[in-house]
């Protein structure tokens, strides 16, 4: 192999770290102009891939092999001390400030983080990093999980590849290029199939670190053009690209997918520009003292900023929600805290004689033992938290048999149904039977529940806010009052509007909706019930959402068979956050977890639906009185928890409203 061009320290790389971490911190701190700041993580990936691959190539050049023990020992000393300290401190802070119910989820996240699998855990959970309303305090560890998993496999890939290509540098470069291309193509495919897995998984993200690896091959050659003006200008073009990403990308941008290529290639361009020994090189700007300092503490800053933002927001959401300025102050406060972490943990731990001057086995074993201790502590805390009593110690009479009745219950009763811990999973049965369709499904066949073949056929048609009424209608079908034809699909309203999902057109929704309407026209039912969540990401923007929604509802009603009666069920209130979490901190004051009707109801959309129903000849089925009085939309009615999350009702509450909905249906059918 050719002699490498070595640089023991590159100030431009330190400056890039500063850019990356400040993009992420400012984005998380609510600086809306930097709506694409999340791409700072991609900058970190490219830099890490470049540095790690360069070090491994050096080892192959000098020794013809990779010293795996030394490599992993250095990674342990570099990553684990600060990571585990922040993990433990975050758990301690969470116990002091986070609602008890939320602590269980947080501790599960802590377990995954301590096991170096946070990214896989969040992918399994289906986390939407760019749109999560109540994010985990450990969500930012996902990128660390990707890097740790990359470090686990990459040395072996390069070492074995080096032998397979008979120690040919060109052959190894081609092998890496093939891996990068395969990962990139896999990421493109997975982004359209399963965005959470595309965002969080190593196979779909490895190409970003691999691009940095390819740069390590390229720059080690010392090509003359890399020292000239073209390379310097390329560096500035890269900086401009990163600025463009930060300003133009947002939560609606399809990501990672092909869009991730822009921050990755821009980062690569900046690294190339930093190599140029030319006056136009961006090195001088990247090397100024503030950039160098932020780059030096960037790892600690990345670790501490997120829990510092998330924990106060979760703690005070019900009391006094954080304002934009509060988030900016917390983001700024993360810098001195990160400086303390770097000074007293990260840097001393990396240099400590205890392991830095000993055999690699000591570092690896110490890191492993520390991780196991944290896993045991987190697991034990989860076991204890799971046994925490989440009720007031008092019982209450069951709700009236003719539907949920006000006034609200002022405390969390012992006989609450479902319990706070069961609320999240209190779903309609159609979720378990796959009758409720996922994002990619387009089958319009529906599901029929018809114990009484002579009963009138009632069609339920809409998104998950239609699915939440299935338990109420299911009882009516089981009692023989109706035949229930269920047609529901995730995030796909029966309102005829063009939608976006994860940054791209939701065409599967259009195909499914049209297919259901065609089926109903071919076989008209007695009654069609339309109900949907009055929030969506419209293709044409949301500036005139209520008007577009109303027009879309009219279009759907007009497309349904003339012989069918159509009812539009009012949407359920939106509580803004999951009431069960709030209730776990307010066991004796359940009213604190309610919202006023003005806060919980989108009156513009509600009015648009009423007007559209009247204009199109449909009936508006107003069930708001079952949720709210003039003053409050409570979280608990009788012995029943109303909501399973911020805006879906529990299956138990839905079933309790069966008499109310049944009475409305009989009235609609009688009017035919």
């Amino acid at each position: 192999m050719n002699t490498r061009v070595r640089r023991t320290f590159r100030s431009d790389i330190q400056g890039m770290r500063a850019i990356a971490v400040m993009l992420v911190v400012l984005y998380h701190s609510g600086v809306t102009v930097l709506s694409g700041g999340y791409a700072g993580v991609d900058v970190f990936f490219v830099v890490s891939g470049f540095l790690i691959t360069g070090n491994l190539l050096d080892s192959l050049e000098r020794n013809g092999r990779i010293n795996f023990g030394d490599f992993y020992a250095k990674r342990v000393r570099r990553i684990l001390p600060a990571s585990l300290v922040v993990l433990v401190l975050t758990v301690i802070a969470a116990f002091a400030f986070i609602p008890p119910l939320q602590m269980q989820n947080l501790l599960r996240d802590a377990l995954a983080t301590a096991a170096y699998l946070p990214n896989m855990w969040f992918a399994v959970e289906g986390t939407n990093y760019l749109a999560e309303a109540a994010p985990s305090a450990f969500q930012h560890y996902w990128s660390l999980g990707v890097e740790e998993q990359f470090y686990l496999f990459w040395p072996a890939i390069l070492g074995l590849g080096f032998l397979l290509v008979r120690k040919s540098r060109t052959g190894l470069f081609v092998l890496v290029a093939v891996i990068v291309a395969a990962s990139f193509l896999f990421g493109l495919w997975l982004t359209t199939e399963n965005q959470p897995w595309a965002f969080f998984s190593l196979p779909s993200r490895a190409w970003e670190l691999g691009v940095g690896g390819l740069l390590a091959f390229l720059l080690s050659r010392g090509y003359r053009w890399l020292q000239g003006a073209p390379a310097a200008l390329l560096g500035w073009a890269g900086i401009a690209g990163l600025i463009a990403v930060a300003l133009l990308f947002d939560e609606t941008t399809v990501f990672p997918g092909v869009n991730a290529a822009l921050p990755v290639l821009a980062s690569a361009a900046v690294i190339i520009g930093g190599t140029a020994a030319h006056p136009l090189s961006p090195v001088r700007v990247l090397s100024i003292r503030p950039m160098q300092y932020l780059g030096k503490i960037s790892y600690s800053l990345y670790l501490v900023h997120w829990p510092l933002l998330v924990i106060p927001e979760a703690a005070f959401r019900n009391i006094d929600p954080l304002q934009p300025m509060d988030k900016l102050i917390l983001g700024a406060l993360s810098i001195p805290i990160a400086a303390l972490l770097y000074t007293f943990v990260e840097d001393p731990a990396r240099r400590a004689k205890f392991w830095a001057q000993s055999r690699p086995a000591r570092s690896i074993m110490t890191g492993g033992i520390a991780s196991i201790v944290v896993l045991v502590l987190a697991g034990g805390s989860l076991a204890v938290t799971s046994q925490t009593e989440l009720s007031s110690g008092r019982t209450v009479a069951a709700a009236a048999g003719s539907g949920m009745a006000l006034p609200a219950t002022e405390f969390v009763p012992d006989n609450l149904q479902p319990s706070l811990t069961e609320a999240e999973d209190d779903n309609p049965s159609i979720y378990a039977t796959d009758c409720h369709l996922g994002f990619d499904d387009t089958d319009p066949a529906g599901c029929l529940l018809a114990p009484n073949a002579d009963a009138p056929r009632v069609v339920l048609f809409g998104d998950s806010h239609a699915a939440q009424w299935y338990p109420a209608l299911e009882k009516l079908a089981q009692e023989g009052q109706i035949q229930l034809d269920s047609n529901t699909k995730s995030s796909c309203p029966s309102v005829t509007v063009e939608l976006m999902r994860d940054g791209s057109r939701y065409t599967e929704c259009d195909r499914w909706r049209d297919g259901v309407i065609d089926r109903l026209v071919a076989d008209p039912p007695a009654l069609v019930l339309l109900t949907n969540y009055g929030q969506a990401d419209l293709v044409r923007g949301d500036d005139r959402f209520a008007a577009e929604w109303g027009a879309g509802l009219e279009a759907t009603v007009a497309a349904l068979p003339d012989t069918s009666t159509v009812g539009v069920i009012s949407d359920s209130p939106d509580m803004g956050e999951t009431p069960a979490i709030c209730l776990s901190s307010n066991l004796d004051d359940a009213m604190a977890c309610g919202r006023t009707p003005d806060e919980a109801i989108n009156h513009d959309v509600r009015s648009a639906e009423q007007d559209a129903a009247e204009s199109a000849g449909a009936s508006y089925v107003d069930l708001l009185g079952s949720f709210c009085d003039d003053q409050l939309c409570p979280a608990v009615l009788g012995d029943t928890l109303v909501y399973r999350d911020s805006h879906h009702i529990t299956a138990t509450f839905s079933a309790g409203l069966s008499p109310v909905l049944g009475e409305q249906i009989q009235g609609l059918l009688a009017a035919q």
Side-chain angles (χ1 to χ4, degrees):
M1 297 177 72
N2 295 335
T3 302
R4 288 179 50 84
V5 177
R6 294 185 180 85
R7 182 180 291 174
T8 56
F9 176 77
R10 284 188 55 168
S11 59
D12 60 309
I13 294 293
Q14 201 78 301
M16 286 187 66
R17 288 189 175 118
I19 291 175
V21 76
M22 290 311 299
L23 284 177
V24 173
V25 171
L26 291 172
Y27 167 70
H28 287 155
S29 299
V31 179
T32 55
V33 69
L34 296 176
S35 55
Y38 55 84
V41 172
D42 303 87
V43 180
F44 276 126
F45 283 162
V46 176
V47 168
S48 294
F50 172 71
L51 295 175
I52 291 301
T53 304
N55 289 335
L56 293 172
L57 289 177
D58 279 344
S59 180
L60 287 173
E61 175 189 297
R62 290 192 305 268
N63 309 314
R65 61 182 182 82
I66 292 172
N67 187 327
F68 291 97
D70 186 58
F71 174 83
Y72 290 121
K74 288 180 179 178
R75 293 302 94 206
V76 165
R77 296 195 296 269
R78 173 73 175 88
I79 294 174
L80 286 193
S83 171
L84 293 179
V85 166
V86 171
L87 189 157
V88 171
L89 292 178
T90 298
V91 170
I92 293 172
F95 268 113
F97 297 108
I98 295 294
L101 186 62
Q102 205 169 8
M103 274 303 302
Q104 296 180 23
N105 290 331
L106 183 140
L107 288 169
R108 293 187 187 97
D109 297 342
L111 282 169
T113 300
Y116 317 122
L117 297 171
N119 56 320
M120 308 300 284
W121 171 248
F122 293 128
V124 169
E125 291 286 287
T127 301
N128 187 333
Y129 177 87
L130 303 182
E132 198 69 16
S136 165
F138 296 106
Q139 189 165 293
H140 64 314
Y141 273 84
W142 77 269
S143 61
L144 192 58
V146 169
E147 290 201 20
E148 288 167 340
Q149 292 153 26
F150 178 81
Y151 299 154
L152 180 64
F153 296 110
W154 196 237
I157 290 173
L158 290 182
L160 291 174
F162 187 56
L163 296 177
L164 288 174
V165 299
R166 299 181 180 181
K167 300 185 178 182
S168 166
R169 184 184 188 82
T170 301
L172 188 58
F173 175 85
V174 170
L175 176 62
V176 171
V178 169
I179 293 172
V180 168
S183 172
F184 177 70
L185 293 174
F186 178 70
L188 290 182
W189 172 79
L190 195 58
T191 299
T192 62
E193 295 296 316
N194 192 315
Q195 195 273 342
W197 276 99
F199 194 96
F200 291 115
S201 75
L202 173 63
S204 56
R205 290 289 203 155
W207 69 273
E208 301 186 33
L209 294 107
V211 166
L214 292 176
L215 276 180
F217 278 92
L218 174 67
L219 298 185
S220 67
R221 291 289 192 176
Y223 293 114
R224 182 174 297 177
W225 72 269
L226 294 173
Q227 305 302 315
L233 293 175
L234 187 62
W236 284 110
I239 291 176
L242 292 176
I243 294 172
V245 167
L247 296 176
L248 300 178
F249 283 19
D250 58 26
E251 71 277 1
T252 68
T253 303
V254 179
F255 207 86
V258 69
N259 290 314
L262 182 53
V264 168
L265 294 178
S267 300
V270 177
I271 292 175
I272 291 174
T275 305
H278 193 278
L280 292 177
S281 172
V283 169
R284 291 186 179 180
V285 173
L286 294 172
S287 300
I288 62 176
R289 185 170 297 179
M291 299 287 279
Q292 292 300 292
Y293 184 74
L294 288 172
K296 182 175 70 173
I297 68 169
S298 59
Y299 178 55
S300 289
L301 181 54
Y302 182 81
L303 288 175
V304 304
H305 86 281
W306 183 246
L308 191 63
L309 288 164
V310 170
I311 292 178
E313 188 167 15
F316 299 112
R317 183 177 288 119
N318 283 305
I319 303 170
D320 187 13
L322 295 184
Q323 301 303 309
M325 184 55 66
D326 299 325
K327 293 182 180 180
L328 281 175
I329 292 172
L330 289 171
L333 185 60
S334 66
I335 295 177
I337 294 176
L340 291 174
L341 181 67
Y342 176 83
T343 302
F344 295 104
V345 178
E346 180 187 343
D347 191 50
R350 186 171 64 244
R351 302 174 184 274
K353 293 181 179 179
F354 167 74
W355 53 8
Q357 297 180 9
S358 63
R359 292 181 179 275
R362 176 176 290 183
S363 296
I364 297 171
M365 289 181 61
T366 303
I369 291 171
S371 298
I372 291 172
V373 169
V374 172
L375 277 169
V376 171
L377 291 175
S381 300
L382 178 59
V384 171
T385 304
S386 300
Q387 302 302 315
T388 302
E389 189 66 35
L390 295 179
S391 64
S392 63
R394 291 174 283 173
T395 60
V396 68
S402 59
M404 301 299 110
L406 296 170
T409 303
E410 298 181 353
F411 51 87
V412 179
D414 287 356
N415 56 330
L416 184 67
Q417 300 295 325
S419 69
L420 298 184
T421 55
E422 295 169 340
E424 183 179 5
D425 298 321
D426 196 42
N427 293 308
S429 59
I430 51 176
Y431 281 81
T433 60
D434 293 329
C435 182
H436 177 72
L437 301 186
F439 297 119
D440 299 326
D441 296 321
T442 58
D443 183 2
C447 299
L448 184 65
L449 178 62
N452 181 4
D454 296 325
R457 180 164 141 251
V458 175
V459 171
L460 178 64
F461 185 16
D463 56 19
S464 60
H465 275 223
Q468 68 183 0
W469 289 108
Y470 185 88
L473 296 170
E474 183 180 30
K475 287 186 67 176
L476 298 177
Q478 291 170 341
E479 292 167 359
Q481 297 186 43
I482 63 172
Q483 297 182 53
L484 176 55
D485 183 346
S486 180
N487 302 265
T488 63
K489 176 176 167 63
S490 291
S491 300
C492 182
S494 48
V495 176
T496 304
V497 288
E498 296 179 343
L499 301 178
M500 302 289 288
R501 188 181 75 83
D502 291 337
S504 59
R505 175 74 181 277
Y506 193 6
T507 56
E508 296 88 350
C509 180
D510 298 333
R511 292 201 299 272
W512 172 78
R513 185 194 305 115
D514 292 343
V516 172
I517 292 174
D518 289 343
R519 182 173 65 82
L520 298 182
V521 169
D523 183 17
L527 173 64
V528 179
L529 295 175
L530 306 175
T531 181
N532 303 280
Y533 184 37
Q535 292 188 34
D537 184 11
L538 303 182
V539 169
R540 290 187 288 186
D542 299 340
D543 294 340
R544 299 180 65 254
F545 182 87
E548 295 274 354
W549 190 260
L553 180 57
E554 284 192 51
T556 296
V557 175
L560 294 171
D562 295 335
T563 56
S564 299
T565 299
V566 179
V568 178
I569 302 177
S570 60
D571 196 10
S572 55
D574 189 335
M575 304 301 282
E577 69 156 349
T578 302
I581 293 174
C582 173
L583 290 167
S584 71
S585 292
N586 295 274
L587 300 178
D588 295 309
D589 186 16
M591 307 296 274
C593 300
R595 297 188 86 189
T596 67
D598 284 342
E599 293 172 326
I601 305 299
N602 187 324
H603 293 289
D604 290 338
V605 173
R606 177 179 166 84
S607 296
E609 289 188 338
Q610 287 180 295
D611 294 343
E614 180 180 349
S615 176
S619 298
Y620 189 73
V621 181
D622 191 352
L623 298 180
L624 183 59
S626 295
F627 293 89
C628 313
D629 60 17
D630 293 337
Q631 303 298 319
L632 189 71
C633 301
V636 180
L637 291 170
D639 64 342
T640 304
L641 179 64
V642 180
Y643 304 93
R644 63 178 170 87
D645 60 21
S646 63
H647 56 86
H648 291 96
I649 62 177
T650 62
T652 302
F653 183 74
S654 175
L657 284 178
S658 182
V660 174
L661 191 54
E663 183 178 341
Q664 295 282 345
I665 289 173
Q666 293 305 320
L668 292 173
L669 292 173
Q672 285 184 324

